[in-house]
Amino acid sequence: MHRDRKVKILATLGPASSSPEMIRELFLAGADVFRINMSHTDHATATALCQMIRDAEAELARPIGILADLQGPKLRIGEIAGGAAELQRGQSYRLDLDTAAGDNSRAPLPHPEIFASLAVGAHLLIDDGRIRLEVTGTAQDHAMTTVLVAGTIKSRKGVNLPDTLLSLSALSPKDRADLDHMARTGVDWIALSFVQRPDDIAEAKQAIGGRAAIL
């Protein structure tokens, strides 16, 4: 089977697509590479998926790529009382290390490394950007912000800092364990989810040890 195109189609395997029949069907429909999301896949399941893909590869006599996508460090706010609170555009909002449940005036952010790196003018995106904050003041244990994009702030939602360099490794302990397992399983690519600096790539390459390519 020859595919006369210069792009590759990547398909993510999930509950509805993790059977030999569906993997074969997706490949015949045009998928070139299968992505295994290590945020939601344990080692036993990942190993089984890799074997299904390699079985399809042997049956169809056509190379099929496997990409293991590492979770990366997880930065999240803490609990909000009642699960959620409404924020208004232009209001002040405090983020701090206090573990008490948050509300519409403050939220716990249990990551000292964030407060150590924040500067006035930096932005925080919460819940995939549904909430956007701008830093107006910083301290070792808290930051004051202004709400730029209002909405509902919910418990345990992810935090992204697009213009702040954090003193964090791109590889968490879970990532290192997943990377080693998937490299030994024989995937073709390892994808990093949290890259800030060239050293992050060098660190991952050293951990991979030539057993897979890196994205």
Side-chain angles (χ1 to χ4, degrees), residues 14-214:
S17 56
S18 295
S19 67
E21 297 77 17
M22 184 57 71
I23 288 171
R24 186 179 188 279
E25 186 174 334
L26 286 169
F27 174 78
L28 293 175
D32 301 289
V33 180
F34 288 96
R35 171 180 173 264
I36 299 173
N37 183 357
M38 298 310 296
S39 294
H40 308 294
T41 309
D42 60 33
H43 289 181
T45 301
T47 299
L49 290 173
C50 288
Q51 188 59 55
M52 292 179 201
I53 296 167
R54 293 306 181 214
D55 288 346
E57 185 178 60
E59 175 191 351
L60 298 167
R62 172 71 162 74
I64 304 176
I66 305 175
L67 181 148
D69 195 351
L70 302 182
Q71 175 177 279
K74 285 298 182 185
L75 304 174
R76 298 183 182 277
I77 63 169
E79 296 296 326
I80 302 295
E86 292 298 321
L87 303 188
Q88 304 299 319
R89 178 178 170 83
Q91 77 166 83
S92 293
Y93 199 69
R94 177 184 169 108
L95 301 169
D96 55 48
L97 294 176
D98 188 342
T99 57
D103 52 25
N104 62 357
S105 65
R106 61 161 293 276
L109 183 60
H111 299 287
E113 64 275 15
I114 290 181
F115 297 113
S117 303
L118 280 178
V120 172
H123 296 91
L124 296 97
L125 308 182
I126 300 174
D127 195 4
D128 295 326
R130 291 178 176 85
I131 301 290
R132 186 182 185 99
L133 309 175
E134 181 175 343
V135 176
T136 57
T138 65
Q140 288 187 340
D141 62 351
H142 74 275
M144 295 304 302
T145 73
T146 296
V147 177
L148 299 183
V149 176
T152 305
I153 188 168
K154 300 177 181 178
S155 297
R156 305 293 302 161
K157 290 300 181 179
V159 177
N160 185 28
L161 297 98
D163 43 20
T164 299
L165 188 65
L166 299 178
S167 57
L168 280 177
S169 168
L171 298 174
S172 68
K174 169 180 164 53
D175 293 327
R176 287 187 172 277
D178 290 346
L179 183 155
D180 183 64
H181 178 81
M182 297 308 286
R184 286 188 285 108
T185 302
V187 300
D188 301 291
W189 293 283
I190 301 287
L192 297 184
S193 297
F194 187 84
V195 177
Q196 300 185 98
R197 54 181 75 83
D199 287 350
D200 294 334
I201 301 296
E203 180 183 2
K205 283 185 175 180
Q206 183 177 19
I208 292 170
R211 295 173 291 175
I214 190 169

